[in-house]
Each structure stands twice: as structure tokens, then as C-alpha cells.
Amino acid sequence: MEKLRVDKWLWAARFYKTRTLASEEIGKGRVEVNGQEAKPAREVKVGDTVSLRQAAGTRTVVVKGLSGMRGSAPVAQQLYEETAESLRAREQAAEQRRLAPEPAHSIEQGRPTKRGRRELDDAQRGWGDRWSASLDGDKGSE
């Protein structure tokens, strides 16, 4: 086998769970072959460079083998080799995510505690007469 459709190769190399997902991602312009935007029927051969954007970032791999069948993960990893720049960028992104502050710590006000809830209830008890719609308390006066 000298050439293989890129969507089938991405599926066999376990970048996407189904060929349909691989085709959809290619259709959205998230996959490039040798620096050019690819279509699902584009053929790849050994030595081509495939760049794909996924949730974790962009991965750039070199095609090392072709397979029309989806195999186990160790077999799939033999179909490609990730470039050094891509590995470095992924490690750097992982380190940034690890060192990023916890988003929950930035929330200053959330659900009140039991004590806070009681304080709110006590404060609202004196507001009963303030919520009248009329100034005098008369209904229907002009």
C-alpha cells in the first residue's frame, strides 16, 4: 500500500474515534497535509507531514506507515512520529495548565453559608412595609 485516504489514516492511527469524526474535522479545516488544507479523500504517503488541531492544541506528525485497519494503540503509534516542536509545545501547554490558578478560587461570592443565610433572612424581615406600590398605601387613588 503506497497511498491511503487521510481520513482513513487518521482513524487507523487513533487520532479520531470514527472515520466520520475524522472527515468532519478535516471538513472544518483542522487538518493540513504538507502545509495545505486537506479534504477527506486526500491521499497521504509515507513521509508526509500531517498537522491537526485538537482540544489540547496542534499536533504535527510525520507519517511512518500506512494501515487501512484500526489496530491496538501500540500498533497505531507505529504509524506516525510526532515532531520535536510539537512535543515541546504540548509539554509547555500541559505545564501552563498545571500551573494555572484554580478557577473556583476566583469566585468571591457564591452560595451563602448557613450563618450568611440567617443574616440575610434577619435583614429582610424589616423590609415588609417598604415594598408598597403606592406612596400612601391607597389602592386605586388618583
Side-chain angles (χ1 to χ4, degrees), residues 6-113:
V6 69
D7 62 341
K8 196 167 188 176
W9 184 82
L10 288 170
W11 166 75
R14 293 185 163 261
F15 287 107
Y16 299 104
K17 201 168 193 173
T18 64
R19 273 184 69 185
T20 304
L21 282 174
S23 294
E24 288 174 0
E25 293 296 306
I26 293 168
K28 292 177 183 176
R30 295 180 181 163
V31 177
E32 294 179 353
V33 177
N34 295 329
Q36 297 177 344
E37 194 171 303
K39 292 184 179 180
R42 168 84 185 254
E43 292 184 334
V44 293
K45 59 187 183 300
V46 175
D48 283 349
T49 302
V50 178
S51 176
L52 48 119
R53 284 183 284 159
Q54 291 180 318
T58 302
R59 293 180 76 170
T60 305
V61 297
V62 178
V63 178
K64 291 290 182 186
L66 301 175
S67 175
M69 295 185 343
R70 184 176 170 102
S72 63
V75 172
Q77 289 174 349
Q78 294 175 355
L79 298 178
Y80 64 91
E81 180 181 346
E82 193 165 1
T83 62
E85 300 88 35
S86 177
L87 283 171
R88 202 172 315 111
R90 284 197 317 135
E91 288 172 2
Q92 190 175 27
E95 184 69 16
Q96 286 178 350
R97 283 192 305 272
R98 189 180 70 79
L99 296 175
E102 174 65 33
H105 293 306
S106 65
I107 299 173
E108 293 179 7
Q109 292 190 4
R111 189 174 169 149
T113 61

